[in-house]
Amino acid sequence: MRKITASRGNLVRMPQPTSAPFARVKLRVGALVFCGDEIALIRRDRPTGSHYTPPGGNVGAGEDLLDALGRELTEELRLDLSDATPPELCWIQDQMVSRPGPTPPPRKIHLIFRCHITPEVRAKLATVEYEELPDGTSEPGFVEWVHYRDAERLPLFPLVGSAVSALPTPHAPAGTPLLAPVTDHDYSWL
């Protein structure tokens, strides 16, 4: 249904929201949670293979970015941000990747933060995270701690593995925050 409005006595047709791929934009926050030289990643096993993601998720409408990050870290790792160093925005990656499903894929802007925790905090964190699926079931994700320099060898999404592995130390400046965009030319959805 098209929305029609009156303007100075004339009827004006308003454009319909488009259902074209990448017409919608979503923000996703994620964190590389460091404990010494290791980072927490969530491994998801699928029939087409396993892939890893930093803990995080989509920012809700009107939600503050750090509130969203705190919510996601609590949901996925049981990590309270007050038990970590203040989150530092390190990398931004633009994603326009086709994916299976009935709805057109959104364009997604990934904001990747970094924070550090102690071994005592790490010992209390979750080891499995459950993602709710559209059909009401859930899919387990396994929290794995890997040496940060191994990140570039993993199927890690968003594609931050090379940037993470290039850090000389876990606390080193992240360098250029804008990473190369992710498109269908360099990534296939698992």
Side-chain angles (χ1 to χ4, degrees):
M1 172 188 260
R2 282 217 158 122
K3 182 176 179 183
I4 299 176
T5 60
S7 171
R8 296 184 191 212
N10 298 320
L11 293 180
V12 177
R13 286 186 185 230
M14 300 301 291
Q16 285 290 86
T18 181
S19 60
F22 317 120
R24 296 175 298 124
V25 177
K26 288 188 173 187
L27 290 176
R28 183 184 190 280
V29 291
L32 293 167
V33 177
F34 279 82
C35 183
D37 287 342
E38 293 186 318
I39 54 174
L41 297 175
I42 297 176
R43 186 191 84 229
R44 298 210 184 276
D45 299 322
R46 302 231 164 96
T48 54
S50 297
H51 76 278
Y52 293 81
T53 60
N58 291 329
V59 177
E63 188 175 24
D64 177 84
L65 295 175
L66 291 180
D67 288 347
L69 182 65
R71 175 182 51 76
E72 288 291 342
L73 291 177
T74 298
E75 289 173 6
E76 295 185 358
L77 295 181
R78 291 195 313 251
L79 173 62
D80 187 319
L81 269 180
S82 66
D83 292 332
T85 60
E88 171 194 6
L89 179 60
C90 291
W91 297 289
I92 301 166
Q93 190 162 56
D94 188 1
Q95 168 202 322
M96 288 188 282
V97 177
S98 299
R99 63 171 193 210
T103 59
R107 178 178 192 172
K108 199 170 275 194
I109 308 297
H110 296 269
L111 305 171
I112 306 297
F113 293 82
R114 167 176 55 182
C115 61
H116 299 268
I117 61 170
T118 64
E120 294 77 22
V121 170
R122 176 180 166 173
K124 298 175 187 175
L125 299 182
T127 57
V128 178
E129 181 271 333
Y130 292 92
E131 180 178 6
E132 188 176 324
L133 300 175
D135 66 3
T137 62
S138 61
E139 172 187 70
F142 302 94
V143 179
E144 288 189 14
W145 290 87
V146 300
H147 195 283
Y148 77 96
R149 292 227 171 110
D150 293 335
E152 72 178 326
R153 290 183 277 172
L154 297 173
L156 177 60
F157 193 83
L159 305 180
V160 297
S162 294
V164 175
S165 294
L167 293 171
T169 69
H171 292 276
T176 304
L178 191 58
L179 299 177
V182 181
T183 67
D184 288 335
H185 298 290
D186 53 19
Y187 187 82
S188 294
W189 200 263
L190 290 179

